Amino acid sequence: MEYPDAVASAAEMYTGREHEHIESAVQQLSEFANVDWRIISAGFGVLPAGTEIPSYECTFSEIEQVRQRAERMNLDVNTMTNNELVAAVGQEKNIPQDLRQILGKGYDLVFVALGTKYLIAAQDALTSIPEETTAFAFASKGSKEFIGDCYWIPATESERSQLGTTWLELRGRELLTLVENIESQRNLEQMRENPEGTRHLCTLLC
């Protein structure tokens, strides 16, 4: 359901501590690199963070909602698993197709901060990441199978406890912590002094 009178950028549509951490990470990355922040929306597909969209209620996390959407696509939902339903609806929104094109642009580094169902929607693209691109995905043990060619950054109880955070903000907190650690390294000081060598980064968010 859309609410066309309430329009804001895709980034502004999201709230919560996890999103705040990701915004902070993007701001810090932008100080020394070209950042291409893309948001994966269950309602609108893959969007640049600045794209203005109407307010809406649509998610991959509510499986009954996904099931209803699949039924409207004339799929035989009774023969499909929940994960297959999510993947099918993701395909219908061109999520893996668009991500393949985006990732094919030759990014040096990609961070993927997506919940399980969103990883499933994007999975087909994450299994075909170009060789020149290094990709990292923050995921629980149960979601690790969906990260494709990404290097796994565990988002488990151990990390949650160590960071003293909640499950709802864990991936965002991990991304921000990683960026803060990277930023302190000498090679990034060299990147600041050599704009021609600045890397392109792509951050994906549910």
Side-chain angles (χ1 to χ4, degrees):
M1 181 180 297
E2 296 181 12
Y3 303 91
D5 291 336
V7 176
S9 71
E12 292 171 336
M13 284 293 178
Y14 289 82
T15 59
R17 290 292 294 160
E18 179 176 73
H19 186 73
E20 290 177 6
H21 292 320
I22 290 174
E23 282 189 309
S24 296
V26 170
Q27 290 172 3
Q28 292 188 37
L29 285 169
S30 298
E31 293 178 3
F32 57 83
N34 295 322
V35 179
D36 185 7
W37 182 11
R38 304 281 177 147
I39 289 177
I40 296 181
S41 162
F44 295 94
V46 184
L47 300 171
T51 301
E52 290 197 341
I53 56 175
S55 179
Y56 67 100
E57 292 184 1
C58 192
T59 177
F60 288 125
S61 300
E62 296 292 337
I63 198 60
E64 186 55 36
Q65 186 182 108
V66 173
R67 188 180 183 89
Q68 291 171 2
R69 294 176 67 182
E71 287 178 337
R72 291 196 294 270
M73 294 164 56
N74 295 319
L75 297 177
D76 187 356
V77 298
N78 293 322
T79 65
M80 301 173 68
T81 66
N82 290 343
N83 289 352
E84 288 172 341
L85 292 171
V86 170
V89 174
Q91 287 274 352
E92 193 268 338
K93 300 306 297 183
N94 288 322
I95 289 173
Q97 301 94 314
D98 289 346
L99 282 179
R100 282 195 205 95
Q101 290 188 351
I102 292 166
L103 294 173
K105 294 179 180 179
Y107 294 99
D108 295 296
L109 186 60
V110 171
F111 293 117
V112 180
L114 294 169
T116 301
K117 297 303 183 185
Y118 288 78
L119 281 172
I120 292 169
Q123 185 182 14
D124 283 352
L126 299 180
T127 58
S128 55
I129 293 175
E131 290 185 4
E132 66 271 19
T133 299
T134 301
F136 297 93
F138 304 87
S140 65
K141 289 182 180 179
S143 301
K144 184 180 178 182
E145 63 181 293
F146 306 122
I147 67 173
D149 297 332
C150 300
Y151 290 101
W152 180 42
I153 298 182
T156 68
E157 173 58 26
S158 177
E159 288 73 37
R160 188 206 65 74
S161 177
Q162 183 177 3
L163 291 171
T165 189
T166 67
W167 282 107
L168 292 177
E169 61 182 286
L170 177 57
R171 290 186 302 270
R173 178 69 181 278
E174 284 188 303
L175 174 60
L176 179 57
T177 300
L178 178 62
V179 169
E180 290 172 343
N181 289 338
I182 290 175
E183 193 174 8
S184 67
Q185 294 179 9
R186 184 176 303 175
N187 67 321
L188 291 185
E189 291 297 331
Q190 295 173 349
M191 287 170 63
R192 287 192 180 93
E193 296 169 2
N194 179 22
E196 291 79 9
T198 298
R199 292 173 179 257
H200 297 270
L201 308 177
C202 179
T203 302
L204 307 179
L205 167 69
C206 70

